[in-house]
Amino acid sequence: MKTEKLVPGEWGGNFGVAQRILIINTDKKILALRRSETAPSRPLWWDIPGGVLEHGEDTMEGVLRELEEEAGITRDKVSISIFDIGSGFNDKDEYWVTVCYIADIDSSAVQLSFEHSEYKWVTPSEFLELKTSPRIKQFLNKFIESHS
């Protein structure tokens, strides 16, 4: 298999780095956020906090920023570690590398941003029943496997 060296700015496709975080409460439930109906992609689908890593941004700072922006959860409330990494093409033929973190939280208090219309705490199995992306399902399945 021939591989090409990818030079920034010269590759003909779209490429991005996203970060997601599984927030686990004391009842071992995961925070599920429902995207608003005006979301640019996958409106009304269920998601976990996260987003795009900005150019030049530190990875940990990026995921903590997204967590606070989307759920109102501040860095002093969580202890984060890397859980999994996935990559692949999305439905727009963009190639994404997604880093998934995991964090336990003592409080169930959430303050939604305009990006989401609803939240709930669900078991991993319940989350799999919700309308969500294949990448989120991948992370949920790995979580279930590693915690059984």
Side-chain angles (χ1 to χ4, degrees):
M1 179 171 127
K2 183 181 176 196
T3 60
E4 286 183 36
K5 181 178 178 184
L6 300 179
V7 179
E10 293 183 10
W11 185 43
N14 293 318
F15 177 84
V17 177
Q19 301 190 105
R20 296 282 186 242
I21 183 165
L22 289 167
I23 301 293
I24 315 299
N25 71 9
T26 54
D27 295 327
K28 303 298 180 203
K29 292 188 174 182
I30 296 173
L31 176 62
L33 304 176
R34 190 170 192 205
R35 299 172 63 84
S36 71
E37 64 181 289
T38 59
S41 65
R42 297 188 170 105
L44 301 177
W45 285 32
W46 290 89
D47 206 351
I48 57 177
V52 177
L53 182 67
E54 296 176 1
H55 182 74
E57 185 174 34
D58 176 78
T59 52
M60 191 58 67
E61 289 300 314
V63 75
L64 289 168
R65 173 185 53 76
E66 290 286 355
L67 181 59
E68 187 167 359
E69 286 176 6
E70 295 186 358
I73 299 172
T74 57
R75 66 183 64 229
D76 60 313
K77 305 285 186 211
V78 293
S79 176
I80 297 176
S81 59
I82 292 178
F83 175 67
D84 196 14
I85 300 172
S87 61
F89 287 93
N90 67 9
D91 52 359
K92 297 177 184 174
D93 205 32
E94 301 165 327
Y95 189 79
W96 285 91
V97 173
T98 305
V99 181
C100 186
Y101 298 83
I102 192 166
D104 293 322
I105 188 169
D106 291 333
S107 168
S108 293
V110 173
Q111 183 177 351
L112 292 177
S113 73
F114 68 94
E115 297 178 61
H116 299 92
S117 58
E118 184 182 346
Y119 78 92
K120 57 185 172 180
W121 294 93
V122 295
T123 66
S125 297
E126 290 170 336
F127 205 140
L128 285 172
E129 298 300 317
L130 300 173
K131 188 172 186 177
T132 192
S133 73
R135 180 77 65 230
I136 300 301
K137 286 187 178 190
Q138 171 192 332
F139 294 140
L140 289 167
N141 281 318
K142 181 163 184 181
F143 179 82
I144 291 168
E145 287 173 23
S146 66
H147 288 79
S148 20

